[in-house]
Amino acid sequence: AVTKSGTNDFKGSVYYIYRDDRGAGRRFNRTTGTYFDAPEFEEDTKGFTFGGPLLKDRLFFFAAYEELTSTRSTPEFGPLGCARTNVAITQSAITGAQNIASTNYSVDIGSTEASGAELEVTDALLKLDANIGERHRASLRWSKTEQTDPIYPTFFNNAISLSSHWYNQEKVIETYVGEFFSDWTDTFSTEFKASYRDYVSTPINNSDLPQIRLNFAGALPAGSPAVASTSAGLVFGTERSRHFNDLST
């Protein structure tokens, strides 16, 4: 990574960026060939930078921090009659599955509506630069990113999933980098670099259920897309590749 460094002058910046569905283009429904307004969302980014001297001409610092939040990520497909690209499953069939799960098994298998899920990202950086005499300089950089990313798996033209199937992917990346630069002569220089990175990625599932799929075969419901599959599926429970699927390096 290339980052700014502090100088002999104290300098900083503060910034804020906002976006919502009113500034986004309309979406295309592949079922009907029509356009519809983008789902409501809010997205904002705010942060600051600040740098300057700790010892004039010798030691400098630079710091940065940023936060991003967004509710923009939503499922692309949905049941018949909704604004999204339709799959050949009726809302009444989904309601029936929800009622059976709740009444017979005391289980909440979720809904097709995404609400309250946010992409959240924070970035922090601190860098120190030192001039060690006329021919040597060193730098030390620390950075950390923390991210929570809502994931909506198993949405296709022949399948939709309920919220018990969705999950948040949480990631933390922390990096330390030290560098030492030397100009021994006008024609010979060296660079030494040591770095360490700690990375953790963990899925936070919405359910303890196994993955379950109900296939709706037979005659297509009224209003089904012309290219609809006769075996549309409704999926719920923990996504099959997500059980304890932690990654750490």
Side-chain angles (χ1 to χ4, degrees):
V2 177
T3 64
K4 290 182 177 180
S5 297
T7 66
N8 276 330
D9 298 318
F10 287 104
K11 296 179 180 179
S13 64
V14 177
Y15 57 93
Y16 179 79
I17 305 166
Y18 176 81
R19 189 183 185 200
D20 61 22
D21 51 283
R22 293 171 295 180
R26 306 187 78 201
R27 294 193 176 184
F28 182 66
N29 186 325
R30 286 184 279 177
T31 306
T32 61
T34 59
Y35 290 88
F36 63 98
D37 291 336
E40 291 185 2
F41 74 88
E42 290 187 338
E43 184 175 277
D44 61 35
T45 304
K46 52 182 176 291
F48 71 87
T49 66
F50 186 65
L54 294 173
L55 294 173
K56 188 176 181 180
D57 296 327
R58 299 297 297 274
L59 182 62
F60 313 94
F61 76 93
F62 179 80
Y65 181 81
E66 181 178 284
E67 289 184 357
L68 163 70
T69 60
S70 175
T71 61
R72 191 174 181 186
S73 180
T74 57
E76 182 181 353
F77 296 86
L80 293 173
C82 75
R84 291 170 278 164
T85 298
N86 287 183
V87 175
I89 300 176
T90 63
Q91 182 58 52
S92 62
I94 296 174
T95 301
Q98 293 168 327
N99 291 338
I100 292 172
S102 176
T103 303
N104 294 2
Y105 302 101
S106 299
V107 168
D108 180 6
I109 60 175
S111 71
T112 60
E113 298 303 316
S115 61
E118 279 190 338
L119 168 66
E120 298 178 352
V121 185
T122 60
D123 291 294
L125 167 75
L126 180 62
K127 186 181 182 188
L128 299 175
D129 291 275
N131 294 326
I132 308 170
E134 294 184 356
R135 292 186 174 270
H136 307 282
R137 59 189 177 89
S139 71
L140 178 64
R141 183 177 76 245
W142 167 84
S143 62
K144 186 175 184 179
T145 297
E146 296 179 281
Q147 177 173 323
T148 299
D149 195 2
I151 307 295
Y152 305 101
T154 319
F155 277 96
F156 309 106
N157 61 357
N158 68 339
I160 56 177
S161 62
L162 301 181
S163 56
S164 63
H165 188 63
W166 309 341
Y167 61 94
N168 287 329
Q169 192 72 28
E170 295 194 349
K171 302 176 184 179
V172 178
I173 307 171
E174 191 166 17
T175 305
Y176 302 85
V177 181
E179 295 176 288
F180 189 81
F181 307 90
S182 297
D183 296 320
W184 301 100
T185 70
D186 292 340
T187 58
F188 178 70
S189 61
T190 59
E191 175 184 338
F192 174 80
K193 179 178 179 180
S195 63
Y196 173 82
R197 188 188 78 153
D198 183 39
Y199 173 80
V200 177
S201 180
T202 304
I204 307 300
N205 300 312
N206 287 348
S207 170
D208 291 328
L209 293 170
Q211 177 173 302
I212 301 168
R213 175 172 172 139
L214 304 179
N215 286 322
F216 294 85
L220 294 176
S224 294
V227 294
S229 167
T230 57
S231 58
L234 178 67
V235 182
F236 51 90
T238 304
E239 200 271 333
R240 64 183 179 183
S241 298
R242 234 34 60 187
H243 294 268
F244 301 105
N245 191 9
D246 293 348
L247 174 64
S248 178
T249 63

